[in-house]
Every structure is written in structure tokens, then in C-alpha cells.
Amino acid sequence: VTLFPRPRRFGKSLMISTLDEFFNVEKKEDNKNLFDGLYISKSEYAKEQGKYPVINLNFKSLKAENWEHMYAQIREEFREVFSSKRYLMEILDEDEKEVYTKILYKNANQDEYEKAIKMSSQVMQRYYNQKVILLIDEYDVPIQNGYTKGFYEDVIGFIKNLFGNGLKTNQSIKQAVMTGD
């Protein structure tokens, strides 16, 4: 896991989107010429372009007045990610399909959301036979918001479990990159 803590307006989101465009196997054909003529196209990393499945989470808009509203926003972020990867459902077993569907319709329980990164990365690794690149932009926004609005314990508990499940013991992740202030 690589963390890039940088101040506002430092190009963190641009870096995340560039990494997504470079590594993402789903965008390989669309982006194969995007990096032509740049240093990276002549470097040892050129062979990595378009090679990996990518999970891209953006937490910069997760701001709320209370935990219930924040949790609703988190569920929506995961719904969007899972919705963009519906094709993965074809390889899921019945139990995985049930959880995947619950996340798509935002009726999963908190434990299932806390394991969503791990589940999606394992399924993507199985589908592509390749480890996953995980990108998380502005990981700290919900934590800071929870602190200032008085629901820090709720949000930090969720984030600790989400990252613990998704990063610490997850053998499906090749590289994770996180940004924050």
C-alpha cells in the first residue's frame, strides 16, 4: 500500500485517474496510445500498461451531518463500483451472487460492506487471472468529516474494518494507492 498525503490542489486525483487509465485492463484498447511518446512508454513499466483489473474508489464527496447519511453515501459508492462490473456476476457462486446483488441494491449489511473491497478484488482476480490494483482517492475525507460532525467512532470503526479486510490480509491486491490530505 502506498499512501500519498498531500495538501489540497496538489494533483492527487489526477494521479489516481492517470494510474487507472494506465493499468486498467478494461481500458487497454482505448488507452493503448494514450501514453505513447511519454517517458513511461519507453521505460520498464511500459509492459504493465493495461494489464491489471482496477478498483477505483473515490471518497472525496463522502461528507454528511451524521453517520446514517455518511453510511448511505458509502453504500452508493460501492453500488456504483459493483454496478460498473456487473459482468463479474457470471463467475460468482450462489453465495457470492447474493452478496453482490445486495450491494447493487444497497441492502447489504455493514459486515458485507466492510468486506466489499476484499470480495470484489478476489472476484476480479479470478475473472482476469491477475491481481488487482486498488485506488482510493481522499480516503481521509469521511474520517475528518466524522470527527468534525461528531460521529468519528462510527466512521473510524467502519473504515478500520474496510481497510483491514481489503488491504491487510487480501492476497488479491497487487498494489494499493491511497491519497489524502
Side-chain angles (χ1 to χ4, degrees):
V1 177
T2 305
L3 172 63
F4 289 96
R6 295 288 183 260
R8 290 176 45 92
R9 314 299 306 155
F10 206 81
K12 299 181 299 285
S13 296
L14 178 61
M15 177 189 64
I16 290 290
S17 64
T18 301
L19 291 171
D20 187 9
E21 299 297 322
F22 183 78
F23 288 116
N24 201 328
V25 69
E26 294 173 9
K27 300 175 181 182
K28 181 177 184 168
E29 291 306 311
D30 293 339
N31 294 341
K32 65 180 168 184
N33 298 323
L34 193 60
F35 296 91
D36 285 351
L38 300 178
Y39 175 79
I40 198 162
S41 68
K42 298 170 191 72
S43 77
E44 62 185 282
Y45 299 107
K47 67 183 181 293
E48 304 290 308
Q49 195 272 324
K51 185 176 176 181
Y52 301 98
V54 174
I55 298 170
N56 190 346
L57 295 168
N58 189 336
F59 287 178
K60 70 180 166 189
S61 63
L62 298 182
K63 297 178 184 170
E65 294 298 317
N66 56 54
W67 171 241
E68 292 74 25
H69 187 225
M70 172 73 65
Y71 186 53
Q73 292 176 348
I74 291 168
R75 291 192 320 264
E76 177 59 24
E77 179 67 23
F78 278 106
R79 188 204 62 77
E80 288 176 14
V81 169
F82 276 54
S83 182
S84 71
K85 300 180 184 321
R86 284 180 190 256
Y87 60 88
L88 296 173
M89 291 184 75
E90 69 189 50
I91 65 162
L92 300 179
D93 65 32
E94 288 308 311
D95 291 337
E96 291 170 326
K97 200 173 279 188
E98 180 183 341
V99 174
Y100 204 97
T101 302
K102 285 176 17 182
I103 291 172
L104 277 174
Y105 293 103
K106 300 191 286 190
N107 356 333
N109 63 45
Q110 186 166 328
D111 184 57
E112 291 165 329
Y113 281 106
E114 289 171 351
K115 294 176 181 167
I117 290 174
K118 187 169 190 172
M119 177 194 179
S120 58
S121 60
Q122 289 173 335
V123 171
M124 289 179 79
Q125 181 185 19
R126 204 164 63 225
Y127 186 87
Y128 288 103
N129 198 29
Q130 190 68 265
K131 288 193 176 195
V132 174
I133 303 286
L134 174 63
L135 306 172
I136 303 174
D137 196 16
E138 302 288 352
Y139 83 95
D140 59 325
V141 169
I143 298 168
Q144 290 176 6
N145 184 247
Y147 181 77
T148 59
K149 300 294 184 174
F151 56 94
Y152 177 79
E153 293 302 322
D154 292 318
V155 74
I156 200 67
F158 179 85
I159 295 292
K160 281 169 61 174
N161 290 333
L162 178 70
F163 291 167
N165 289 317
L167 298 171
K168 283 177 89 173
T169 59
N170 191 347
Q171 298 300 310
S172 297
I173 299 290
K174 175 172 178 59
Q175 179 70 43
V177 177
M178 299 170 62
T179 69
D181 287 345

